[in-house]
Amino acid sequence: QVQLQESGPGLVKPSQTLSLTCTVSGGSISNGAYFWSWIRQHPGKGLEWIGYVFYSGSTYYNPSLKSRVTISVDTSKNQFYLKLNSVTAADTAVYYCARVGDGVTYFLDSWGQGTLVTVSS
Amino acid sequence: SYELTQPLSVSVALGQTARITCGGNDIGGKNVHWYQQKPGQAPVLVIYRDTNRPSGIPERFSGSNSGNTATLTISRAQAGDEADYYCQVWDSSKGVFGGGTQLTVL
């Protein structure tokens, strides 16, 4: 059973870059049946899809974040990454990595536990 | 952009049936997925492609989708079903979530 685990700084200063890593275990990130995604949840709020990456490196980004987001993958490490530039307090959220179980209907069938990132000076 | 509308809260008596709706324009023509999120935990997929249950999800959870409304039905509700529930679709190359419904089991 695949497992995902987020890691990275829990505190980021405004205007800096948020960087997170998702480590996948129990399955290969190079499995072409899946996409690998980042989702966030603002405190007490709903879910927001940030984007996803395929093992080949192709990506999709939420249009509302596209100008600030980069998602990449390292198949040799079985990891994928999130970078969000020019952060503000509005980017304070729990960030989840998740597996997209179907590249046609896009459901998220496995999730990491989430990591809280606070943007504050 | 496409929007999904869920009631903020739904209450159900222990052992009864809860129905959580997800409204969207012609949502019946889309594939709807449902997630359960308990406090402090990550979401868990409970229904995918309208009616399918992942392995490990009890048969008490079922889904339907027609017209402008998708529905998650939880039969014989248990105290452990108390959680937030989110619907989700993929529309115009964008992942869209509903605002979430808090289920209370009385």
Side-chain angles (χ1 to χ4, degrees):
Chain A
Q1 180 176 345
V2 70
Q3 294 186 322
L4 297 90
Q5 177 68 59
E6 306 88 352
S7 59
L11 181 64
V12 181
K13 288 181 167 46
S15 80
Q16 295 192 343
T17 297
L18 179 160
S19 296
L20 295 175
T21 297
C22 183
T23 301
V24 178
S25 58
S28 173
I29 206 167
S30 298
N31 187 326
Y34 304 110
F35 296 87
W36 305 93
S37 189
W38 289 97
I39 311 292
R40 71 179 181 178
Q41 186 171 34
H42 294 102
K45 303 295 185 182
L47 300 164
E48 180 180 28
W49 201 313
I50 299 171
Y52 66 71
V53 65
F54 194 48
Y55 77 96
S56 63
S58 61
T59 54
Y60 153 82
Y61 300 133
N62 184 326
S64 67
L65 295 168
K66 188 174 184 177
S67 63
R68 298 194 293 129
V69 172
T70 303
I71 300 176
S72 58
V73 62
D74 186 335
T75 56
S76 67
K77 295 182 178 179
N78 229 33
Q79 294 177 330
F80 63 105
Y81 311 97
L82 171 68
K83 289 190 185 299
L84 182 64
N85 300 327
S86 305
V87 297
T88 69
D91 294 309
T92 293
V94 175
Y95 287 76
Y96 295 99
C97 59
R99 187 178 77 173
V100 181
D102 178 340
V104 175
T105 65
Y106 295 89
F107 57 84
L108 298 155
D109 64 354
S110 296
W111 295 65
Q113 66 184 25
T115 187
L116 174 63
V117 179
T118 301
V119 179
S120 175
S121 55
Chain B
S1 61
Y2 196 77
E3 293 186 358
L4 296 173
T5 301
Q6 298 183 237
L8 283 176
S9 63
V10 168
S11 297
V12 61
L14 186 68
Q16 298 303 303
T17 297
R19 293 179 179 85
I20 299 172
T21 59
C22 177
N25 184 38
D26 193 28
I27 195 173
K30 302 183 185 300
N31 289 279
V32 179
H33 319 303
W34 291 91
Y35 304 88
Q36 175 194 69
Q37 185 179 33
K38 297 182 179 180
Q41 298 184 19
V44 173
L45 181 70
V46 293
I47 293 289
Y48 65 98
R49 295 194 215 115
D50 298 341
T51 61
N52 297 277
R53 275 178 296 102
S55 168
I57 301 301
E59 291 183 7
R60 301 185 298 104
F61 288 80
S62 62
S64 62
N65 185 17
S66 178
N68 293 319
T69 304
T71 302
L72 173 68
T73 301
I74 306 170
S75 304
R76 303 182 299 283
Q78 301 177 359
D81 297 333
E82 280 206 344
D84 293 328
Y85 291 85
Y86 294 90
C87 58
Q88 178 246 313
V89 300
W90 189 261
D91 177 80
S92 299
S93 300
K94 180 179 177 182
V96 180
F97 289 98
T101 299
Q102 183 177 50
L103 177 68
T104 301
V105 180
L106 304 172

